[in-house]
Each structure stands twice: as C-alpha cells, then as structure tokens.
Amino acid sequence: QVQLVESGGGLVEAGGSLRLSCTASTSAFSVYIMGWYRQTSGKERELVANIDPRGDSNYADFVEGRFTISRDNLKNTVTLQMNSLKPDDTALYFCNAEHFISHRRSWGQGTQVTVSS
C-alpha cells in the first residue's frame, strides 16, 4: 500500500488558479500511474487527469485544456496545475496511485477545492 499525502487545495475565485501536489511513500514511484480524481456530494468519484510512468497524460473532457498534470519521479510527486477554475470545479480532490502491472490502487485523504463565483 502506497501512502499518499495531498496538499494545495483551498478557496479561490472563479478564473483563479490552484496547484495540487501529492507525495507518495514508495521506493517504486516510477512504476505507478498517478492520477487526480474528484468527488462532490452525491456523485461518483471521477477522473480528472492521470499520467503514466513514461509521462503520457490523459485528461477528462471537462478539463478543456485548463489543467496540467506532471510528475517528478525523483521526488515521488505528482502535481496538478489548475487554471481558469470554475465553480463547477468545486470538489474534494484525491490523489491516486495505480501499479502499472498489478493495477492495485491507493488513495490519498483528499484535499478540498472550492471555487467561488
């Protein structure tokens, strides 16, 4: 099980930016697909973006070019830069680590992002 610690959430006005970071406690960070998911009350958790060990990234349609995911395999971190935030982006954001071969998943505790209109 990988321990994941998120940081960087908060309150921002619409159109503003936030940067989420997640640090993983594993010596094999480079074999994990790292991702960010989000969840609001009454809805299922949904993928925001993920990035594989080679650095190839994938984004949900609703991102529309506003977010950028990146990883640093030396620092065991994954970052989500969120720009042009909208009130609809308000959610609890979770960091996820999925082993590239076994597909075993680990989750962080979540960090709240609130975008005011």
Side-chain angles (χ1 to χ4, degrees), residues 64-75:
E64 300 175 323
R66 299 178 296 128
F67 301 172
T68 302
I69 190 170
S70 59
R71 65 187 294 157
D72 186 331
N73 289 340
L74 295 179
K75 296 182 178 180

Side-chain angles (χ1 to χ4, degrees), residues 70-83:
S70 59
R71 65 187 294 157
D72 186 331
N73 289 340
L74 295 179
K75 296 182 178 180
N76 285 14
T77 59
V78 60
T79 300
L80 184 68
Q81 177 66 44
M82 303 187 294
N83 300 325

